[in-house]
Amino acid sequence: MVEAHIHCRVAAPDDAAGIFRVLTEVAPEIPLLIDTRERQEAVSRIVDKCISTDESWVTTNGGGVVAGFILVEPDEMERFQRNNAALHLAYAGVAKTQRKHGIFRALLQCVMNSGVPLTATVKFANQSAMAERLSRIGFRQTSVDSSREEYTFIWQPISPSAQFGAVQ
């Protein structure tokens, strides 16, 4: 259940530093290495790229500081194979002091409201129970890649005709 007081908005270029700050805080849980300048710059480019899609979202605390984010980008392979507008969940995070308030679910719901398929990849070593969270929200596990040590998930929106029965 999403709490009513959570306000999500589309991420803007000015949010990049706040997103990077939260991403740095949650990086060990993902896991994501950002221990060198080169890795930090590479992750910063991903953040900027995802923000530029106008499909990524943030929520802020009362002082306007980024409390959580969800970064998405076009899923080129899914779009090519299935001729759809699928998005891929690149990264998501909620500041540790802001957890247990429904922020992740609210951010994910904003992306799901776009009504397009969503894919996600979760590392075996993920410490945030992300695979279980995605499954509870309605994502279906599509593969396990042992060589890359990750699970792949997809969420498909329910079409109105499937939800209420096709009219014939």
Side-chain angles (χ1 to χ4, degrees), residues 92-165:
V94 176
K96 291 179 181 178
T97 60
Q98 300 295 315
R99 293 183 178 175
K100 306 289 185 197
H101 299 289
I103 291 174
F104 172 72
R105 186 176 284 269
L107 289 163
L108 187 57
Q109 188 62 54
C110 289
V111 177
M112 293 167 90
N113 286 344
S114 69
V116 301
L118 304 174
T119 63
T121 304
V122 180
K123 298 279 187 195
F124 290 176
N126 184 287
Q127 298 173 12
S128 69
M130 186 57 66
E132 294 83 8
R133 287 179 189 190
L134 293 175
S135 293
R136 281 195 312 266
I137 293 171
F139 280 72
R140 178 178 50 85
Q141 183 177 320
T142 58
S143 68
V144 176
D145 187 336
S146 296
S147 65
R148 295 179 58 145
E149 300 183 340
E150 62 189 21
Y151 305 99
T152 304
F153 292 86
I154 190 165
W155 174 80
Q156 296 282 356
I158 298 173
S159 68
S161 61
Q163 187 175 7
F164 300 109

Side-chain angles (χ1 to χ4, degrees), residues 6 27 32 55 60 66 69 76 80 114 126-127 130 132 161:
I6 298 171
L32 174 66
E55 300 283 353
T60 58
V66 173
F69 67 89
E76 300 299 339
F80 174 74
S114 69
N126 184 287
Q127 298 173 12
M130 186 57 66
E132 294 83 8
S161 61

Side-chain angles (χ1 to χ4, degrees), residues 14-109:
D14 290 350
D15 296 316
I19 291 170
F20 193 82
R21 179 188 50 77
V22 175
L23 187 55
T24 299
E25 181 181 339
V26 302
E29 298 170 8
I30 294 175
L32 174 66
L33 289 176
I34 50 176
D35 56 342
T36 65
R37 182 161 182 81
E38 292 80 17
R39 288 179 174 155
Q40 291 170 4
E41 289 172 356
V43 170
S44 183
R45 285 190 298 273
I46 292 169
V47 169
D48 291 342
K49 178 182 169 191
C50 290
I51 289 172
S52 74
T53 68
D54 291 330
E55 300 283 353
S56 296
W57 293 78
V58 297
T59 186
T60 58
N61 66 14
V65 176
V66 173
F69 67 89
I70 191 162
L71 297 174
V72 299
E73 58 192 353
D75 186 322
E76 300 299 339
M77 185 60 75
E78 180 73 13
R79 288 177 175 206
F80 174 74
Q81 291 179 340
R82 295 188 175 53
N83 194 29
N84 62 30
L87 296 171
H88 178 75
L89 305 177
Y91 295 106
V94 176
K96 291 179 181 178
T97 60
Q98 300 295 315
R99 293 183 178 175
K100 306 289 185 197
H101 299 289
I103 291 174
F104 172 72
R105 186 176 284 269
L107 289 163
L108 187 57
Q109 188 62 54

